[in-house]
Amino acid sequence: MKRKDFIKAGTFAGLSAMFSNAFGGIFREKTEHFTDPKYRGVEGVWSPTNTHMVGNGFKVMNFFPNGKGFEERMSPFFLLDFNAETNFPPSEISRGVGVHPHRGIETITFAYKGGVEHHDSKGNHGIINPGDVQWMTAGGGVLHKEYHEQTYSKSGGAFEMLQLWINLPKKHKMTDAKYQSIAHGTKPEVKLPGNKGSIYVVAGEYKNTKGIASTFSPIHIYDIHLNEKGDCNFTLPPGFNTGILVVDGSVNVNGKEAAENHYVQLKNEGGEIQITANKKAILLVLSGEPLNEPYVSYGPFVMNTEEEIKQAIEDYNNGKFGFLK
Ligand code: MN
């Protein structure tokens, strides 16, 4: 009996050594490396969701709120609609979304391919070209419409954009509506050494480079462009809700693979975020301090109470959001 036990134990020891020789050098190092508290944990990698049309111009996957209990997981970010690369046929009439209101939030539009045009009830009009960001603070209320830019619409072809909604803190809900039109060339750029790529700081800060957008609560937003095999690493505040959308390409984030159109949710803890591009990639990094305030949402309005939602509907019906044809 003793001898048999010995053989068995020996067999397992041998197998263990064999696996360790064959794979240990590759896998073990990776696992140990990224379970090290030096690195921020990955809570999950979310697959692309089903798509739905917003108006007739935006074919989006909704990563949050998504009605699956993620409503508060990314606060103050409230909604992420991503139109992954889609080919639209040429059209003489621009596809898009007609006049609609917003109150209590900011809507931020990023264009990657094709162009988005907009008009609002404050008389603003603009075109969001690839790389540009349009940061609209709806605040107390605005009407706008968003549609394919006319030249793009007539030619058709690849279209890729996303819209992010940021919830406003209670004390800023009714701030005056405004725009920040951020052209690609004006985004502060941090060039990574060795031609690895660039980090454009849209909001907040990246290693002492300040972002261009002004925000109503503490937020960091990075537009990251990595070349193949390019990598970068940085830290973000442990308590900030943090996620990374893989717009193009594919990356490894702290040991987890994330393919195109996937979303990486990070844990709320300290530690470095280490990103390596498997192939040329464009990423959107979102990180913000949770608002921790009650909210009620109804379509394009996000307020703190039911009463405020009723008021928003009443104000909209009474023309208090202005006029836009
Ligand atoms: Mn809108």
Side-chain angles (χ1 to χ4, degrees), residues 98-103 105 136 138 141-144 165 299-301 316 321:
V99 178
H100 61 278
H102 286 291
R103 175 179 279 182
I105 55 171
M136 183 183 88
V142 75
L143 301 177
H144 75 159
W165 292 9
F301 309 130
Y316 173 61
F321 282 63

